[in-house]
Amino acid sequence: MPRARYAPNLGTLTLTLLTTSTLITAGTSPTWALPTPATAQTAISNGSDPAPQPVPPLPTTESDWKPVADTLGRTGSVMGGTVYHVALPRKDLKVTSKGVAIKPGFALAGYVNFAKYHDDTLVMGDLVVTEDESPKVIDALQKAGIEQTGIHKHLLQQSPAVWWIHIHGMGDPITLARGVKQALAATSIPAASPSKPTQPPIDLDTTAIDKALGRKGTADGGIYKFSIARRDTVTEGRHILPPALGITTGVNFQPLGGRKAAINGDFVMTADEVNKVIRALRRGGIDIVELHNHMLDEQPRLFYMHFWATGDGARLAQAIRPALDVTNLTKPTT
């Protein structure tokens, strides 16, 4: 079974009482030598070791994860040299939101990520499930000892109803992969298909979008995407969590024709940034979809907020830029 969350090791405080030998003779009382203040200070020793510093995941290659891929029956790729990413897009679903047919890579791109640490393997992920699948998936995850750390939606009005379930587990990688596979068996998530060698055209002014956001986007399956890491070091107990585990702000543009787009994604924020982002988005006419957490005990505590809007792609990028600027993201590059 995956390991439960650990509690930090607490040292013990040992008090050494110094005494002198006592000469006990008939007619005399014992004589105690009391320690001086300096001696008493020395006599109190803290038996605890220094608190261990959080460490990053170990470097890995795709061959290191072959047993996990074989167990899952799905292959992935290594991101950032440490995180094994298995994409789980819902290509089987035909979802619409506010009249927009949602492409899998726009808002239906589930995944599981694995990272190997010095003491254990971590799994984190986001499973996209239908309302009928959701209770079965949760039961399978609970049976496998894999936690649910967030259950929410990424879209406002939608048909059919879809939910997103965030997961977390620590333990043996094969055991974790087996538990994830059992959860996936309760869904109709299809096996991954090979990516096409050429990308479909993006009917957007991507140069203007890049300029507005100060960063270079990536074309992926007909969607224009931005994934922006925070400058903080995010930790969970003894582990440093790299951005590749999904700890990024994502902004996706789905072309609607005539250089118009729907935008969706999520901001990753600390508590003091949340309402600054809300105000900036609303000033730009961007709808707030959901505010929630993806994890239970990370530091700093992080909140995620999904958003939605449609309109001219470049103007939407200009509207969203002020919200990016009030969060502690990596600096713009363009």
Side-chain angles (χ1 to χ4, degrees), residues 4-12 48-52 236-238 297:
R5 294 175 182 272
Y6 52 81
N9 292 325
L10 299 178
T12 57
S48 64
D49 294 327
E236 184 183 56
R238 297 189 295 265
D297 54 11

Side-chain angles (χ1 to χ4, degrees), residues 75-155:
T75 58
S77 58
V78 174
M79 300 175 63
T82 57
V83 174
Y84 188 62
H85 175 81
V86 181
L88 300 169
R90 291 306 301 252
K91 295 181 179 181
D92 58 312
L93 297 179
K94 305 297 182 184
V95 177
T96 60
S97 179
K98 292 187 171 289
V100 176
I102 304 299
K103 292 185 177 182
F106 179 53
L108 302 173
Y111 63 89
V112 287
N113 290 329
F114 294 84
K116 175 66 177 174
Y117 289 88
H118 65 289
D119 55 349
D120 244 333
T121 294
L122 167 69
V123 65
M124 290 175 61
D126 192 7
L127 307 182
V128 184
V129 301
T130 66
E131 206 153 272
D132 290 337
E133 293 169 346
S134 179
K136 301 172 188 176
V137 169
I138 291 172
D139 289 346
L141 292 169
Q142 286 290 321
K143 184 177 180 180
I146 296 175
E147 299 173 325
Q148 293 82 70
T149 56
I151 302 174
H152 55 263
K153 294 191 175 186
H154 291 190
L155 300 167

Side-chain angles (χ1 to χ4, degrees), residues 44-275:
I44 300 175
S45 61
N46 188 342
S48 64
D49 294 327
Q53 294 299 308
V55 295
L58 302 172
T60 56
T61 64
E62 289 187 13
S63 61
D64 295 323
W65 296 105
K66 187 177 184 304
V68 166
D70 291 345
T71 301
L72 280 175
R74 301 168 188 263
T75 58
S77 58
V78 174
M79 300 175 63
T82 57
V83 174
Y84 188 62
H85 175 81
V86 181
L88 300 169
R90 291 306 301 252
K91 295 181 179 181
D92 58 312
L93 297 179
K94 305 297 182 184
V95 177
T96 60
S97 179
K98 292 187 171 289
V100 176
I102 304 299
K103 292 185 177 182
F106 179 53
L108 302 173
Y111 63 89
V112 287
N113 290 329
F114 294 84
K116 175 66 177 174
Y117 289 88
H118 65 289
D119 55 349
D120 244 333
T121 294
L122 167 69
V123 65
M124 290 175 61
D126 192 7
L127 307 182
V128 184
V129 301
T130 66
E131 206 153 272
D132 290 337
E133 293 169 346
S134 179
K136 301 172 188 176
V137 169
I138 291 172
D139 289 346
L141 292 169
Q142 286 290 321
K143 184 177 180 180
I146 296 175
E147 299 173 325
Q148 293 82 70
T149 56
I151 302 174
H152 55 263
K153 294 191 175 186
H154 291 190
L155 300 167
L156 289 170
Q157 181 238 17
Q158 56 182 280
S159 178
V162 180
W163 292 84
W164 285 256
I165 300 177
H166 284 268
I167 66 172
H168 178 286
M170 289 292 300
D172 173 73
I174 303 303
T175 302
L176 293 170
R178 191 177 297 121
V180 171
K181 183 177 182 179
Q182 291 167 354
L184 296 179
T187 76
S188 298
I189 298 174
S193 56
S195 59
K196 296 180 180 180
T198 59
Q199 292 291 333
I202 301 289
D203 182 18
L204 295 171
D205 187 347
T206 56
T207 300
I209 292 173
D210 290 347
K211 182 179 179 180
L213 296 184
R215 296 154 174 96
K216 177 67 176 174
T218 302
D220 182 10
I223 308 299
Y224 200 57
K225 297 183 173 182
F226 294 81
S227 181
I228 311 168
R230 290 187 63 87
R231 282 184 277 180
D232 322 69
T233 297
V234 181
T235 63
E236 184 183 56
R238 297 189 295 265
H239 306 135
I240 293 174
L241 305 179
L245 283 171
I247 308 171
T248 58
T249 288
V251 183
N252 298 334
F253 292 75
Q254 178 175 313
L256 300 179
R259 296 201 166 185
K260 293 183 178 180
I263 58 169
N264 185 247
D266 58 347
F267 278 77
V268 55
M269 309 160 292
T270 53
D272 61 311
E273 296 170 346
V274 169
N275 284 281

